[in-house]
């Protein structure tokens, strides 16, 4: 793989290809690889910018819907959605968001490490886990690991939409309402900055509100036609927006990680080319010296 | 100057409009509503249709929404617009598809991506067609 080109293993490799021609072909092959990694780096950089914009664009919606939910939590409505009520956990639902493609450094592996350690902790407490997978990398990983995968969405592309997530989220919400799972968690990479992506596993259902916050007065909405369908629709959209936000954040993380990984690969290829060039020059010089000494030796013999 | 209030129209994918208005019309589930300042708090679902925002200088702006939620507070109105066409059976088809995809992935030894994708696209298209038909029927009645 491109990013595993490393300078340390060089001397060994070179010992077996002292021929100047072999070194030359090696150099040109590395140059080709370098061109590819450079191109991938630039593509990732421009995609990252777009992904970041998308991440910012999804923020107003989640802020607005969160403030409505906060009102609801305080308003003592006549109907309380199950997603707002805590119950003892026996089985946990987990949505894992990964990338569809590789070549993005340790991004997915770091996330899977965090997820598996959390899952081990849950298993230790006697809790079972149902998985929903977004992104084909997580699908392959948890299939091999033998997780209980109930639904999946892959190939979301560079501009994922909420409508591609409705199905997977609904599977989990239905399971929650039918009490097949008692909690729902979301795992994805949080975009801290270009250099840092932090894997996080957090609970999204039941909704954790700041309950202790005291309101001066209590009021409730009028609901049209009725509180149940309205609150149901609101909470479904809230969970969907959380998952969507996770997806776009993961996408920004993916592009940032790929950009950094490809930059490292390009740099490593450059180092490798420099060292090989030096060895090539030495080999060439040695060949010329040998030729001259042969000629001189020949002339002396005559 | 007439009384105004703040209007936010947002979808999950982008902010659509944010500003002040003297009156807002929205296609609520129980019929179109006109909202003026100091309306009592109300929460309702929206049907696909047009949201009209009348600004300070009596200019009207139109926004199409394919459904969503409307939250009203005395001095702030929020339209949480859907980006996708939502109907119950459409959601169910999507959920089924997500389940099937997982089953297929687990069953397939070497995942045949193109086949899976084609299948997914087909069932999506079928489900969408059904939703559009339903909406049309509703509009005609």
């Amino acid at each position: 793989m491109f990013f595993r080109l490393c300078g340390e293993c060089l001397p060994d490799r070179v010992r077996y290809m002292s021929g100047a021609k072999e070194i030359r072909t090696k150099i040109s092959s590395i140059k080709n690889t370098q061109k590819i990694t450079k191109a991938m780096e630039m593509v990732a950089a421009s995609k990252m910018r777009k992904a970041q914009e998308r991440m910012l664009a999804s923020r107003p919606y989640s802020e607005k819907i969160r403030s409505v939910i906060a009102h609801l939590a305080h308003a003592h409505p006549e109907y309380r959605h199950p997603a707002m009520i805590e119950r003892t956990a026996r089985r946990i639902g987990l949505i894992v968001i990964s990338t569809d493609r590789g070549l993005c450094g340790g991004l997915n592996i770091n996330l899977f490490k965090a997820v598996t350690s959390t899952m081990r902790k849950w298993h230790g407490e006697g809790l079972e886990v149902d998985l929903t997978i977004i992104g084909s990398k997580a699908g392959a990983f948890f299939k091999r690991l033998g997780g209980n995968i109930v639904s999946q969405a892959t190939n979301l592309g560079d501009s994922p939409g909420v409508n591609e997530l409705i199905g997977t989220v609904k599977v989990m919400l239905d399971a929650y309402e039918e009490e097949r799972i008692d909690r729902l968690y979301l795992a994805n990479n949080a975009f801290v900055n270009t250099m840092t992506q932090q894997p996080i596993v957090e609970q999204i259902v039941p909704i954790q509100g700041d309950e202790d916050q005291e309101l001066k007065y209590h009021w409730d909405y009028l609901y049209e036609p009725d509180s149940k369908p309205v609150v149901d629709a609101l909470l479904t959209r809230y969970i969907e927006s959380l998952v969507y936000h996770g997806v776009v954040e993961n996408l920004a993380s993916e592009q940032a990680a790929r950009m950094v990984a490809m930059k490292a690969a390009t740099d490593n290829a450059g180092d490798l080319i420099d060292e090989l060039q030096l060895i090539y020059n030495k080999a060439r010089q040695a060949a010329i010296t040998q030729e001259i000494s042969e000629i001189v030796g020949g002339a002396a013999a005559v | 100057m007439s009384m105004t209030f703040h209007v936010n129209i947002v979808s999950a994918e982008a902010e659509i409009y944010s500003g002040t208005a003297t009156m807002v019309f929205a296609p609520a589930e129980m019929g179109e509503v006109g909202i003026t300042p100091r309306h009592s708090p109300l929460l309702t679902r929206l049907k696909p249709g047009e949201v009209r925002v009348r600004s300070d200088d009596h200019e009207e702006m139109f926004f199409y929404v394919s459904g969503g939620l409307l939250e009203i507070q005395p001095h702030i109105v929020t339209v949480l617009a859907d980006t996708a066409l939502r109907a119950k059976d459409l959601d169910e088809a999507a959920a089924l598809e997500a389940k099937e995809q997982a089953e297929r992935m687990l069953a397939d030894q070497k995942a045949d991506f193109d086949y899976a994708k084609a299948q997914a696209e087909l069932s999506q298209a079928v489900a969408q067609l059904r939703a559009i038909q339903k909406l049309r029927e509703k509009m005609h009645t």
Side-chain angles (χ1 to χ4, degrees), chain A:
Chain A
M1 261 174 226
F2 306 138
F3 55 89
R4 300 220 176 104
L5 296 172
C6 54
E8 290 130 51
C9 46
L10 186 72
D12 252 13
R13 219 192 279 160
V14 168
R15 205 167 295 148
Y16 300 110
M17 41 167 230
S18 48
K21 190 169 177 292
E22 276 161 37
I23 299 173
R24 220 164 40 218
T25 41
K26 188 81 197 162
I27 289 176
S28 78
S29 125
I30 294 173
K31 271 185 181 158
N32 283 336
T33 309
Q34 194 187 28
K35 268 180 213 154
I36 296 170
T37 56
K38 184 82 192 156
M40 285 180 82
E41 179 196 333
M42 289 191 290
V43 169
S46 91
K47 280 188 180 172
M48 183 187 73
R49 223 166 296 132
K50 278 189 205 131
Q52 265 177 294
E53 279 164 21
R54 207 166 285 126
M55 200 171 83
L56 290 177
S58 79
R59 211 159 272 171
Y61 185 85
S62 48
E63 273 167 17
K64 294 287 169 338
I65 204 160
R66 189 168 303 168
S67 76
V68 177
I69 300 245
H71 282 306
L72 268 186
H74 292 300
H76 302 296
E78 62 263 49
Y79 167 70
R80 281 189 91 82
H81 193 272
M84 297 168 88
I85 303 162
E86 285 272 350
R87 57 181 186 231
T88 47
R90 281 160 297 147
R91 204 177 178 89
I92 285 173
L94 176 63
I95 301 176
V96 184
I97 302 173
S98 75
T99 67
D100 273 330
R101 288 154 200 272
L103 291 184
C104 49
L107 188 78
N108 286 320
I109 294 301
N110 288 343
L111 178 71
F112 297 157
K113 260 190 217 158
V115 170
T116 44
S117 81
T118 317
M119 278 169 72
R120 212 172 296 129
K121 203 186 81 200
W122 285 335
H123 282 306
E125 292 164 11
L127 301 167
E128 305 243 23
V129 183
D130 279 350
L131 287 165
T132 280
I133 299 299
I134 297 173
S136 42
K137 287 285 160 189
F141 180 84
F142 285 102
K143 184 184 171 186
R144 210 166 47 234
L145 199 75
N148 183 23
I149 301 170
V150 292
S151 71
Q152 191 193 23
T154 50
N155 297 323
L156 296 181
D158 293 326
S159 48
V162 180
N163 52 338
E164 281 144 329
L165 303 168
I166 290 170
T168 41
V169 175
K170 187 174 166 56
V171 169
M172 280 321 219
L173 282 182
D174 283 353
Y176 182 83
E177 267 168 44
E178 291 159 16
E179 306 206 1
R180 272 183 282 127
I181 56 170
D182 306 296
R183 260 173 220 166
L184 183 57
Y185 280 75
L186 179 70
N188 68 292
N189 277 295
F191 183 88
V192 182
N193 55 43
T194 316
M195 298 302 290
T196 325
Q197 294 86 35
Q198 180 75 37
I200 45 167
V201 183
E202 60 178 356
Q203 182 178 328
I204 53 174
V205 180
I207 293 159
Q208 291 169 312
D210 20 40
E211 294 282 344
D212 47 8
Q213 193 185 323
E214 272 296 318
L215 279 187
K216 288 182 194 76
Y217 59 96
H218 291 293
W219 54 275
D220 197 2
Y221 291 105
L222 297 168
Y223 299 94
E224 269 183 33
D226 190 18
S227 60
K228 188 178 181 313
V230 177
V231 174
D232 281 355
L234 181 75
L235 283 168
T236 309
R237 278 162 183 75
Y238 175 62
I239 308 296
E240 277 163 10
S241 87
L242 285 180
V243 176
Y244 174 74
H245 190 80
V247 168
V248 286
E249 192 159 12
N250 201 67
L251 187 68
S253 302
E254 176 190 352
Q255 300 302 349
R258 179 165 302 131
M259 191 184 86
V260 172
M262 288 303 117
K263 181 157 175 43
T266 311
D267 292 349
N268 284 349
D271 291 348
L272 208 53
I273 289 169
D274 286 349
E275 282 179 53
L276 282 175
Q277 190 69 50
L278 208 64
I279 291 161
Y280 170 73
N281 289 347
K282 273 184 191 157
R284 189 177 138 269
Q285 193 64 55
I288 292 168
T289 313
Q290 199 185 349
E291 241 174 75
I292 290 172
S293 68
E294 273 165 15
I295 292 167
V296 170
V302 171

